[in-house]
């Protein structure tokens, strides 16, 4: 029996499964920032679902389907048109207390990016592609799906006209996949 594996843009029918996969992996103890902040599944799922729903509307994210089942997800955004904005209702006590350190870390990394690469500081929408979160369902690990997702997601961005891609990796697994995809590590 052959297995069909394909990467497609994240669509509305993939949102719940993608959010579950991302939340499970990020809150499973292997992601150092979420783990260090004490962010659990119930804290993270609503935010992950909102990000997946918004990214399905933007057309910048990718899922990997194995025989039609969502096996892995990559949530990406235009760095100049973020998935979540200050107007979103994510400022409740759980967000402020638990997510603030993670948001601050990402903000610092992005400020460092623009300080090191001033030519990017004035980039307009449609130029800076931000690969935000990648996760593979435990059921489908060790099949090279993360590498396939990196490649498919970058191809999707290039087809939309993006010229620069960035990723922050807080875990060794995602760092290894990013390096395989051609990224060059700049800061640790």
């Amino acid at each position: 029996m052959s297995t069909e594996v394909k990467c497609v843009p994240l669509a509305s029918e993939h949102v719940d499964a993608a959010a579950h996969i991302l939340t499970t992996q990020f809150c499973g103890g292997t992601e150092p920032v979420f783990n260090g902040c004490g962010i659990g599944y119930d804290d993270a799922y609503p935010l992950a679902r909102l990000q997946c729903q918004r990214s399905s509307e933007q057309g910048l994210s990718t899922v990997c389907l194995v025989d039609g089942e969502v096996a892995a997800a990559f949530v990406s955004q235009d760095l100049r048109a973020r998935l979540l904005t200050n107007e979103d209702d994510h400022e409740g006590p759980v967000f402020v207390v638990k997510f603030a350190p993670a948001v601050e870390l990402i903000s610092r990394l992005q400020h460092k990016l623009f300080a090191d690469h001033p030519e990017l500081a004035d980039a307009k929408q449609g130029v800076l592609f931000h690969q935000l979160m990648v996760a593979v369902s435990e059921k489908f690990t060790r099949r090279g799906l993360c590498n396939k997702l990196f490649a498919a997601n970058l191809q999707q961005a290039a087809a939309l006209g993006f010229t620069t891609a960035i990723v922050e990796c807080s875990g060794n697994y995602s760092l290894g996949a990013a390096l395989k995809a051609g990224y060059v590590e700049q800061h640790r």
Side-chain angles (χ1 to χ4, degrees), residues 158-182:
L160 293 169
F162 286 88
T163 57
T164 303
I166 65 165
V167 65
E168 302 105 9
C169 300
S170 55
N172 290 329
Y173 179 74
S174 57
L175 175 60
L179 294 172
K180 283 182 185 177

Side-chain angles (χ1 to χ4, degrees), residues 4-10 14 17-18 21 61-74 134-137 140 143-150 152-153 156:
E4 180 186 25
V5 177
K6 64 181 178 176
C7 293
V8 299
L10 189 150
H14 307 130
I21 290 167
S61 298
T62 309
V63 293
C64 188
L65 305 175
V66 175
D67 292 332
E69 181 179 348
V70 177
F74 213 136
V134 64
V136 177
S137 169
F140 295 102
R143 299 186 192 193
L145 299 183
C146 189
N147 294 331
K148 286 181 171 87
L149 264 181
F150 258 100
N153 193 236
Q156 194 172 331

Side-chain angles (χ1 to χ4, degrees), residues 63-103:
V63 293
C64 188
L65 305 175
V66 175
D67 292 332
E69 181 179 348
V70 177
F74 213 136
V75 172
S76 300
Q77 66 183 358
D78 184 326
L79 199 56
R80 297 299 190 207
R82 297 173 185 269
L83 294 174
L84 300 177
T85 67
N86 292 336
E87 289 77 41
D88 288 319
D89 185 21
H90 59 272
E91 295 296 329
V94 169
F95 181 83
V96 171
V97 171
K98 293 193 174 183
F99 286 90
V103 170

